[in-house]
Amino acid sequence: MRIEGPYDYDNTPMCQNAIGATKLQSFPAAEADNSPQEKNSFDSPGEELLAPPLNFSMVDYGVFRSGFPEPANFSFLRTLGLRSIIYLCPEPYPVANAEFLKANGIRLFQFGIEGSKEPFVNIPEDSIREALEIVLDEKNRPLLIHCKRGKHRTGCLVGCLRKLQRWCLTSIFYEYQRFAADKARVSDQRFIELFEISSLKESCVPVSSSKGQ
């Protein structure tokens, strides 16, 4: 595990949809129109568009998940008041993202889990267990968990958290599949099913989702 922190980005307006971020473009009008126009709220000076990262969602009170944050998502992330980010990929954190963390006093916990594809999937249980302990420590929240797309590595970590919260496997797999969609992996779900939670402290489970689902 790699730990950094606690730590101006290019504020390019972006709009976010379920697929990803698309840069806003302006197009010239075909001809001048002098009729009164209703003012668009996005035209107000100083207003920023708040675009969440791909696959963003709240997991629990003070715990969030997403795909890799882009600079266009920084304004949104700032509203969360993050203390920590758990990054589940082995690649170095981009300079722009590292500067954002430094400017906002956010601590980075990096776990270099390879994004292998089936049937060659090796999910390191020790890394997932160590990341879970960080999630369960209240002094690290609010925190964001992310990998590249917010599907497999993030899904495994969140799935193991749900086991600790005593969710039934049906609900855990439904949540996993909702984010992984047609990229859902049997190996990930098998890993979650077999993950042993007995060594983790139940007393650290976030209260809001501790009831069985």
Side-chain angles (χ1 to χ4, degrees), residues 13-17 20-25:
M14 304 285 280
C15 60
Q16 183 80 18
N17 54 30
T22 306
K23 185 175 291 186
L24 292 175
Q25 300 181 24

Side-chain angles (χ1 to χ4, degrees), residues 20-164:
T22 306
K23 185 175 291 186
L24 292 175
Q25 300 181 24
S26 59
F27 299 92
E31 58 183 55
D33 182 3
N34 296 321
S35 59
Q37 298 290 325
E38 186 175 330
K39 187 175 181 180
N40 191 323
S41 60
F42 293 124
D43 294 334
S44 301
E47 273 197 36
E48 293 180 299
L49 296 180
L50 301 180
L54 178 73
N55 258 342
F56 176 83
S57 182
M58 183 175 182
V59 176
D60 205 309
Y61 181 77
V63 181
F64 307 92
R65 62 178 291 170
S66 75
F68 205 103
E70 300 291 341
N73 309 132
F74 291 167
S75 294
F76 174 83
L77 294 181
R78 193 178 290 109
T79 68
L80 302 179
L82 296 175
R83 290 183 181 176
S84 312
I85 283 182
I86 295 179
Y87 172 45
L88 299 174
C89 303
E91 294 80 14
Y93 222 44
V95 173
N97 293 62
E99 289 179 350
F100 170 76
L101 300 192
K102 184 176 181 180
N104 291 275
I106 300 171
R107 195 175 190 186
L108 176 67
F109 297 90
Q110 181 173 0
F111 297 87
I113 301 175
E114 296 289 342
S116 305
K117 295 184 179 181
E118 288 184 310
F120 309 105
V121 177
N122 179 25
I123 304 168
E125 184 172 334
D126 289 345
S127 294
I128 293 294
R129 193 174 301 279
E130 192 174 354
L132 262 181
E133 290 174 352
I134 292 168
V135 173
L136 297 175
D137 190 340
E138 290 187 2
K139 70 175 180 288
N140 294 323
R141 301 183 220 142
L143 66 82
L144 173 70
I145 304 165
H146 80 82
C147 51
K148 186 176 181 181
R149 299 290 182 184
K151 295 181 178 181
H152 303 116
R153 288 164 282 196
T154 298
C156 285
L157 179 55
V158 172
C160 292
L161 173 65
R162 297 311 192 193
K163 282 195 74 175
L164 193 59

